[in-house]
Amino acid sequence: MATTGKPALSLGPIYFLWDGPKWRDFYFRIADEAAVEHVTLGETVCSKRQHFSEPHVAEVVERLEAAGKRVTLSTLAMVTLPRESRHVRDLIAGSLHTVEANDLSALGLLKGRPHSIGPLVNVYNAATARTLAARGAENICLPPELPAGSIRQMLEAMPDFSFEVFAFGRMPLAISARCAHARSKGLTKDNCQFVCGEEPDGLPLRTLDRQSFLVLNGVQTLSNSCVVLVDDLAPLVEAGLSRVRLSPQDCDMVKVASLYRAVLDGRIDGEEAIADLVKVYPGVRFSNGFLHRQEGAAWVSRGRNAAMGRD
């Protein structure tokens, strides 16, 4: 259900390869210190990474739930192998938690039972959202490339449904059956030696004229810039937004969550939060262009009523 007041703050799954202890300790700190109500976890990008986190999933879920967080388990964004198909089937069949679909192959298995839709599924209009809701979806995290006007149209068309926006993190842009990250280091996907773990925040790419372009994360391609919507949320909250999602980056996500919560609660303004985020996540460009109907890497500051879907 959509909120009538302040939206909930949620944490999406970790897209990067972090070793098991780092993955576990990250979520332990989220449980103990972060101002988030919902946490989605589980391997989303590459099934080969699962053995790093799987030994710690049970204790992480227990710690999060003991701290009062609601836990959702994520499915893979691309299923290409029989073992991956079995994993998704087993996850959905055996989970006592809500499952978030990040690929259409999971939707048939989830039909008729409560579930969530992740930002890697292309939900661009209310008609699609209504179809998914009729099949059992209770929450949809919208893709980061949607402009504010389209988001507002969905919020207004489905006022009693829970919509979520991707409000912090490198944007997930594409996923491939091949691993460009391994190829960049002279390896193949089958013998990748988990080199993506050498870049816990992704491998930056540059164009031939040395301009920052994209970030590789195993088989996934991310934006080079980090989406920061902390100063853009008020009109969407007013329209009935239910959740605000933060995507984990290799920085102090507890501090990131505290800044977003402070803005949503009206204790600080967006500009103050952005000034602090620059210190929390230094050396990374911020962007909010898609929300304002511009190129995704653009940064739009003040004077944006029209771009936020208002006349």
Side-chain angles (χ1 to χ4, degrees), residues 22-280:
K22 177 175 178 174
W23 188 91
R24 176 201 61 205
D25 293 347
F26 170 82
Y27 283 114
F28 279 6
R29 186 168 179 235
I30 292 297
D32 297 344
E33 303 177 36
V36 299
E37 291 92 335
H38 300 263
V39 177
T40 300
L41 58 86
E43 183 53 50
T44 304
V45 175
C46 179
S47 64
K48 293 180 68 176
R49 301 173 175 180
Q50 286 169 332
H51 78 272
F52 288 93
S53 58
E54 278 186 347
H56 307 288
V57 169
E59 59 181 333
V60 162
V61 170
E62 181 179 6
R63 183 77 161 257
L64 288 167
E65 292 185 329
K69 320 293 187 188
R70 293 186 60 184
V71 174
T72 298
L73 302 180
S74 175
T75 68
L76 289 165
M78 177 176 284
V79 177
T80 60
L81 301 172
R83 63 173 173 80
E84 294 172 342
S85 178
R86 287 194 300 271
H87 171 78
V88 173
R89 290 178 181 275
D90 291 345
L91 173 68
I92 292 173
S95 176
L96 299 177
H97 296 85
T98 300
V99 173
E100 178 174 281
N102 281 291
D103 178 74
L104 294 184
S105 66
L107 292 181
L109 300 172
L110 288 166
K111 183 180 180 181
R113 59 181 288 179
H115 60 274
S116 292
I117 305 295
L120 305 184
V121 177
N122 295 337
V123 181
Y124 291 151
N125 52 60
T128 301
R130 286 195 188 98
T131 298
L132 294 172
R135 296 171 61 91
E138 295 185 326
N139 179 77
I140 297 175
C141 182
L142 297 169
E145 62 266 30
L146 275 179
S150 296
I151 297 173
R152 287 176 62 86
Q153 287 176 7
M154 280 188 271
L155 294 174
E156 292 164 1
M158 300 175 64
D160 295 324
F161 188 78
S162 176
F163 285 105
E164 183 173 356
V165 296
F166 189 100
F168 178 88
R170 297 187 192 272
M171 290 177 283
L173 300 178
I175 197 154
S176 171
R178 294 187 175 92
C179 184
H181 203 142
R183 183 68 179 270
S184 73
K185 302 194 177 190
L187 300 169
T188 65
K189 181 180 178 181
D190 290 339
N191 186 32
C192 66
Q193 301 177 32
F194 301 104
V195 290
C196 54
E198 296 173 1
E199 285 86 24
D201 211 40
L203 175 64
L205 298 182
R206 295 182 184 275
T207 62
L208 292 176
D209 54 1
R210 309 302 297 168
Q211 292 183 334
S212 296
F213 184 39
L214 298 169
V215 164
L216 292 180
N217 172 39
V219 297
Q220 184 184 49
T221 303
L222 301 167
S223 64
N224 179 270
S225 63
C226 175
V227 170
V228 173
L229 304 186
V230 71
D231 198 25
D232 294 301
L233 295 171
L236 300 179
V237 171
E238 181 184 344
L241 183 67
S242 296
R243 297 187 196 175
V244 173
R245 174 170 294 205
L246 312 176
S247 183
Q249 305 296 144
D250 195 26
C251 65
D252 187 351
M253 291 301 300
V254 170
K255 180 63 175 177
V256 172
S258 72
L259 290 169
Y260 272 76
R261 187 73 266 169
V263 171
L264 292 171
D265 290 347
R267 289 182 278 114
I268 64 173
D269 63 28
E271 288 189 340
E272 182 179 349
I274 290 169
D276 285 341
L277 285 171
V278 170
K279 302 171 186 175
V280 174

